[in-house]
């Protein structure tokens, strides 16, 4: 379904761009959300299973993070992870450099 949504978005962008003249051209920013704590916990779970599949013990941090998936309320409104915070700062710098926002 994710691939289908990406295809629809690409198709929509192609239709929009075909209808615009050069004088009307616009820059479209496609921004994905930053990594959440839930994303981090799920990645830890997959790393843990991968380690077990290679007959090695997973790291204690991966096991701990994966086990916190049991906490259902934490999955409903997950906070931004440490990596997600870095992603947000990097994107803010990029948008600032591209003059995305006009400061008044």
């Amino acid at each position: 379904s994710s691939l289908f949504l990406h295809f629809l978005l690409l198709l929509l962008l192609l239709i929009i761009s075909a209808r615009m003249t050069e004088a009307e051209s616009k820059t479209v920013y496609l921004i994905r959300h930053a990594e959440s704590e839930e994303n981090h916990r799920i990645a830890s779970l997959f790393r843990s299973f991968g380690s077990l599949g290679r007959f090695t013990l997973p790291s204690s941090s991966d096991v701990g993070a994966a086990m916190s998936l049991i906490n259902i309320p934490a999955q409903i409104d997950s906070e931004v992870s440490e990596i997600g915070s870095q992603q947000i700062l990097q994107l803010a710098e990029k948008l600032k450099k591209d003059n995305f926002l006009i400061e008044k």
Side-chain angles (χ1 to χ4, degrees):
S1 68
S2 178
L3 183 61
F4 180 71
L5 289 175
H6 285 107
F7 173 76
L8 284 179
L9 181 60
L10 180 61
L11 183 61
L12 178 63
L13 289 173
L14 288 173
I15 291 169
I16 290 170
S17 64
R19 292 183 177 180
M20 296 174 77
T21 66
E22 282 196 34
E24 298 173 317
S25 69
K26 303 207 184 286
T27 301
V28 176
Y29 290 83
L30 301 176
I31 301 171
R32 187 182 182 278
H33 67 82
E35 182 188 75
S36 68
E37 285 294 333
E38 181 180 9
N39 297 137
H40 173 72
R41 291 187 283 264
I42 291 170
S44 295
L45 177 67
F46 283 111
R47 281 193 302 272
S48 295
F49 282 137
S51 293
L52 294 173
R54 293 185 303 278
F55 301 106
T56 59
L57 290 175
S59 71
S60 60
S61 62
D62 277 344
V63 172
M67 290 302 294
S68 66
L69 284 168
I70 296 171
N71 181 1
I72 300 301
Q75 311 319 317
I76 294 172
D77 192 17
S78 185
E79 298 292 325
V80 173
S81 70
E82 194 171 310
I83 291 173
S85 294
Q86 293 170 359
Q87 292 169 336
I88 290 168
L89 292 174
Q90 289 170 350
L91 181 60
E93 281 299 313
K94 170 86 172 111
L95 293 176
K96 186 175 183 180
K97 196 181 295 181
D98 290 348
N99 295 319
F100 183 76
L101 296 175
I102 300 172
E103 296 186 28
K104 294 182 181 183

